[in-house]
Amino acid sequence: MLAEERFALILDLLAEKRTATVQELCEALNASESTIRRDLTELDRQGRLNKVHGGATLPNGQFLADEPTMAAKESLAVSQKQSIAEAAAALINAEDFVYVDAGTSTLAMVRALNGPALEAHYVTNGIAHARLLAQKSCHVCLPGGLLRPRTEAIIGAAAVTALQQFNFTKAFMGANGVAMEAGFTTPDPEEAAVKAAAIRRARQIWFLTDDSKFGRIYPAVISALGDAAILTNRCPDPKYGQLTLVKETER
């Protein structure tokens, strides 16, 4: 296989997955590790990808505006979200007053709640999250506002005002994109406003983001990278750890 053919296949795989390890690329291209590493070095030199420890990721700054439905997002990165969810649930104590943001990663966290975490008190703007918390006999509060059908999240001025009445010990947030220069972002400005309001009222903030979300930028800014910690299955670029706390579940 010619080098340019390998380059095209590598970039196609990254376009689909956002990140890939050297081992994944070796298996996909049926090529040796030394060949793949040389290809990654050359593509990095050309600015077509970022070579990171153990693999590669697309360059930061890919601007997106799409918003998959809740059902569509639940079928993506399932195992990654599960490992993040279990780690997040383990951070919650019985005495915590917790904000749970709408989203599939945070919904996976609610599914994983057990033991003392079930005794904590919760506020969430996610309809599915509130239902599941109630089924687990947790104390749960829903803010008022408008329901956004695509993400099943409560948004709007009433929701922002309601959140200003609380002080959270911990907030577990979702984002569509995480980028060093743009921070945490999402497609919808009203949803971003609710997320930002919750962050301002929380003492400890965790964004639950699988590795496919790194390097993506969406129109609405939630917060700067340094305003919150990141809980992820795998961080594709160690530079993120220089800007905020990053906790990985795949170590």
Side-chain angles (χ1 to χ4, degrees):
M1 185 185 298
L2 297 175
E4 284 299 329
E5 292 177 304
R6 290 197 307 275
F7 292 173
L9 289 172
I10 290 169
L11 293 172
D12 283 347
L13 193 148
L14 285 174
E16 178 185 340
K17 298 184 61 180
R18 298 292 307 159
T19 64
T21 65
V22 170
Q23 186 59 41
E24 287 171 340
L25 293 170
C26 288
E27 293 173 1
L29 276 68
N30 193 26
S32 68
E33 183 175 326
S34 60
T35 296
I36 292 298
R37 290 189 184 279
R38 283 197 303 271
D39 288 348
L40 296 183
T41 298
E42 177 58 23
L43 288 167
D44 182 82
R45 186 190 67 78
Q46 295 176 14
R48 298 163 73 183
L49 56 71
N50 288 333
K51 185 180 178 184
V52 297
H53 179 70
T57 183
L58 287 183
N60 286 326
Q62 184 188 26
F63 192 89
L64 301 164
D66 64 300
E67 177 71 281
T69 63
M70 187 79 167
K73 287 190 286 189
E74 282 209 81
S75 67
L76 302 174
V78 175
S79 63
Q80 294 91 329
K81 288 175 183 175
Q82 182 61 34
S83 69
I84 295 167
E86 291 172 359
L91 296 173
I92 301 173
N93 303 312
E95 64 272 16
D96 278 322
F97 187 51
V98 181
Y99 180 75
V100 181
D101 189 24
T104 54
S105 294
T106 51
L107 183 58
M109 183 195 78
V110 174
R111 291 194 185 102
L113 294 176
N114 62 82
L118 297 175
E119 300 175 34
H121 286 63
Y122 295 89
V123 176
T124 181
N125 73 324
I127 295 297
H129 304 60
R131 183 186 303 113
L132 185 53
L133 285 164
Q135 290 171 353
K136 287 175 172 274
S137 299
C138 296
H139 298 277
V140 57
C141 174
L142 271 167
L146 301 172
L147 177 63
R148 185 168 183 244
R150 195 161 191 84
T151 56
E152 301 178 17
I154 296 173
I155 60 170
V160 171
T161 299
L163 292 179
Q164 292 170 353
Q165 302 173 33
F166 298 112
N167 289 309
F168 303 110
T169 57
K170 296 181 176 82
F172 295 90
M173 310 300 300
N176 296 67
V178 184
M180 282 181 272
E181 70 274 31
F184 302 99
T185 57
T186 198
D188 185 69
E190 286 195 280
E191 201 153 343
V194 174
K195 293 172 186 285
I199 287 171
R200 287 193 293 269
R201 305 305 302 175
R203 184 182 305 166
Q204 187 181 122
I205 305 142
W206 291 93
F207 271 87
L208 311 186
T209 54
D210 66 79
D211 57 357
S212 70
K213 296 181 179 179
F214 287 89
R216 293 185 172 186
I217 300 172
Y218 287 80
V221 175
I222 302 166
S223 73
L225 204 64
D227 292 341
I230 297 173
L231 183 54
T232 182
N233 59 303
R234 182 174 65 89
C235 182
D237 190 334
K239 291 179 182 177
Y240 283 92
Q242 299 171 13
L243 301 173
T244 192
L245 173 64
V246 178
K247 184 175 180 180
E248 297 174 279
T249 61
E250 295 178 5
R251 294 184 65 86

